[in-house]
Amino acid sequence: MTTYQIETKEQFTVVGLELTIKSQFNDFAGISREKADFWQRIEADGALAELKSGAKDDCLYAVNEAVNNKMMYYAAVLPKNDTLRADRRIDFPSGPYLVVTGSATSQDELAGQLTGTVFGEILPQLTSHRYVGGPNAIQIQAVGDQFKGVALVPVVAN
């Protein structure tokens, strides 16, 4: 099993550009395609650059959340202040989080790797804690020609 930690995190809020996922929840190829197209679109139209210009640091967050029975996905940042224009504020509560780190040569590869590890490998075998919903995120940072990341998934003790 991949190395992971359960860590207590302080509350934090990100703001992001949103995508409503139209693929079925079990259509992983379709979901991946929608997410990749979304990142390409917001990069090409300048929306991502505008979002990043109001960020507190150089980290991006790829956030998954269920809202009103819809699968939502966000490209998000920690905002410098409350004036950053975005589609949604996403609050992450303080408490225990499953934390998994990784690195890859692309942002998409990193997000896919960490998401697959968390939901396909660790959570199904984890006996001390469980995921009960709520937003989860992959924090992504470019470091040279690599992308380093941390999966942050809120959990509760069993």
Side-chain angles (χ1 to χ4, degrees):
M1 187 183 318
T2 302
T3 303
Y4 67 89
Q5 295 179 341
I6 303 294
E7 296 179 11
T8 299
K9 298 287 185 186
E10 294 298 316
Q11 183 277 337
F12 67 97
T13 299
V14 297
V15 297
L17 305 171
E18 79 181 359
L19 168 69
T20 302
I21 301 289
K22 299 202 181 346
S23 298
Q24 295 297 314
F25 75 93
N26 58 354
D27 179 4
F28 303 115
I31 292 169
S32 292
R33 191 172 34 260
E34 285 186 64
K35 290 178 178 181
D37 291 348
F38 172 67
W39 283 102
Q40 287 177 342
R41 180 177 51 79
I42 62 175
E43 182 79 44
D45 69 11
L48 183 59
E50 184 178 337
L51 182 70
K52 289 166 64 174
S53 72
K56 184 183 286 189
D57 57 26
D58 61 351
C59 292
L60 280 174
Y61 291 79
V63 179
N64 296 288
E65 181 181 39
V67 177
N68 298 325
N69 295 318
K70 294 179 188 172
M71 287 189 304
M72 304 302 293
Y73 181 73
Y74 307 93
V77 298
L78 288 172
K80 283 184 218 176
N81 54 49
D82 289 337
T83 63
L84 181 58
R85 196 168 55 99
D87 296 328
R88 182 162 169 84
R89 286 177 51 98
I90 304 115
D91 295 317
F92 286 80
S94 62
Y97 281 77
L98 171 64
V99 177
V100 181
T101 60
S103 63
T105 56
S106 76
Q107 183 175 307
D108 287 343
E109 179 187 354
L110 176 63
Q113 170 195 55
L114 287 173
T115 300
T117 298
V118 165
F119 290 98
E121 183 181 331
I122 296 172
L123 284 174
Q125 297 180 33
L126 190 61
T127 58
S128 62
H129 290 78
R130 68 185 184 285
Y131 175 59
V132 293
N136 62 79
I138 306 293
Q139 179 188 36
I140 301 166
Q141 187 171 28
V143 179
D145 62 350
Q146 288 280 307
F147 290 86
K148 305 244 182 237
V150 179
L152 300 168
V153 180
V155 293
V156 295
N158 282 333

